[in-house]
Amino acid sequence: MVIRLKHIFLVVAGAFCLASCDDNKPVGAGAIVLGDSSTIITESDPQQLKDLVTDLQPVIPPAENKDEDPNAADNKPDSSHKPLPAQATITPAPASAKPQPEPAAKLTSNGPGLKAEFKDVTIIIPGLAVKQAGNPNLEKANGAVYTLNNGNINGATMRIIGTVTKVSQRYQSVVVLKTDNGTFPLDALSLTTKWENVSGTNNTYRVVGLDSKSMKAYDADARDIKSAVQRMTQRRRISRKRAQELYNSINNVRSTNQKPLSVELRSVMWKIDGKDASGRLFSKQIRIDIPM
């Protein structure tokens, strides 16, 4: 009897243990049933709910402007090119400092010569046949440019109508190579002088110092001369045979005043300073170019 009761007790204890183990089974071990409250996590501890992944903060470009011209991007400057420094900015010189190329007096070879009628002053050089360049009306101009067709500039007389305080002159000379095959100005051997005062009386000025013996020339030696001839032949694309003939013609030349070289006038400029009727200062310039 005792043994039977012992067996019954063991069976009941075993059943109780099995029931206890079944209740301790971890939640979620098995299929998740929709709506089953036992599968819902209701954690309230903020430390346990903290996100362990570092937040990413990307740089998001601004939204595209729909009103912007779609071709505007092509017109934007290239950021890889740096802007020029301030000192590299080119500022045009004042009109009074350099003759303007467009205005010029109305002149013909049959007229009295060069006559430039500015607003404040008139400049006349008789005996020169020149060709007009640009606008013949010099009323609002500060300079005029001409090309010489005929006449001798050196020894000519300049007459000025107006109140003049000073007349200055400068010129450009060039070394020229003259051969049986033609005349070749050597641009590398050109020289532009500084402004020099021109003396005169009663607004009449004599033009002097522009003959080949008086003009200043580029100080060149034999090496400079050969280099200038070489550059000239390359620029003009002269044939090798003809270029060699030009080189041979200057083999014994040591200075610019030796034949077949000569110094000639390429351009002459005058600057006329004075006062207008109101006493205000003005400065006008004229230039004559000699074709070669």
Side-chain angles (χ1 to χ4, degrees):
M1 185 65 172
V2 173
I3 295 174
R4 181 177 296 179
L5 291 175
K6 183 177 182 180
H7 283 291
I8 293 172
F9 176 77
L10 292 175
V11 171
V12 173
F16 178 80
C17 290
L18 290 175
S20 176
C21 291
D22 185 66
D23 292 339
N24 293 331
K25 183 177 62 176
V27 177
I32 299 176
V33 180
L34 184 63
D36 187 357
S37 59
S38 64
T39 63
I40 300 176
I41 299 175
T42 57
E43 182 64 61
S44 59
D45 186 356
Q47 294 297 326
Q48 299 298 328
L49 296 176
K50 184 178 180 180
D51 190 357
L52 298 180
V53 181
T54 304
D55 290 339
L56 179 63
Q57 298 180 355
V59 178
I60 302 175
E64 182 182 359
N65 187 357
K66 300 300 182 180
D67 297 332
E68 186 178 357
D69 185 359
N71 298 324
D74 298 334
N75 299 327
K76 293 182 180 179
D78 187 356
S79 59
S80 63
H81 296 285
K82 297 181 180 180
L84 291 176
Q87 58 270 23
T89 303
I90 301 176
T91 304
S96 60
K98 185 177 181 181
Q100 303 299 318
E102 65 278 5
K106 185 177 181 180
L107 304 165
T108 64
S109 58
N110 297 324
L114 187 154
K115 186 177 182 181
E117 296 181 284
F118 296 98
K119 178 181 179 181
D120 304 312
V121 66
T122 299
I123 304 165
I124 302 172
I125 306 179
L128 299 182
V130 293
K131 181 181 180 181
Q132 67 177 9
N135 188 354
N137 186 358
L138 301 178
E139 190 70 17
K140 297 181 180 180
N142 290 311
V145 179
Y146 316 96
T147 299
L148 181 68
N149 287 337
N150 193 15
N152 295 321
I153 299 177
N154 189 62
T157 300
M158 178 187 297
R159 299 171 184 172
I160 302 176
I161 302 174
T163 304
V164 179
T165 57
K166 184 174 66 174
V167 176
S168 306
Q169 174 183 285
R170 71 187 301 184
Y171 61 86
Q172 183 184 62
S173 64
V174 63
V175 176
V176 178
L177 172 61
K178 294 183 178 181
T179 67
D180 295 337
N181 294 325
T183 300
F184 306 93
L186 304 179
D187 294 333
L189 302 182
S190 61
L191 174 70
T192 301
T193 65
K194 297 180 180 180
W195 288 108
E196 296 182 357
N197 294 338
V198 179
S199 58
T201 57
N202 298 324
N203 281 7
T204 301
Y205 301 84
R206 185 80 169 174
V207 180
V208 295
L210 300 179
D211 58 287
S212 58
K213 294 182 179 180
S214 303
M215 284 190 301
K216 298 177 181 179
Y218 189 98
D219 185 13
D221 56 19
R223 182 178 180 180
D224 296 330
I225 294 171
K226 291 181 180 179
S227 177
V229 173
Q230 182 180 12
R231 292 171 62 180
M232 181 272 296
T233 57
Q234 292 175 348
R235 182 174 61 84
R236 296 195 176 196
R237 297 183 179 180
I238 295 177
S239 66
R240 182 177 300 179
K241 179 180 179 180
R242 191 177 180 186
Q244 188 59 50
E245 294 175 354
L246 295 176
Y247 299 150
N248 295 338
S249 68
I250 59 170
N251 278 337
N252 299 322
V253 175
R254 297 292 180 268
S255 64
T256 56
N257 57 5
Q258 286 183 258
K259 291 183 178 181
L261 301 181
S262 62
V263 180
E264 297 189 10
L265 179 66
R266 166 165 276 181
S267 181
V268 59
M269 294 149 276
W270 293 280
K271 180 170 61 173
I272 293 86
D273 298 321
K275 296 181 180 180
D276 62 11
S278 302
R280 291 176 297 184
L281 299 177
F282 68 79
S283 183
K284 308 295 181 182
Q285 292 188 31
I286 60 174
R287 187 181 86 215
I288 302 178
D289 296 331
I290 294 84
M292 293 185 176

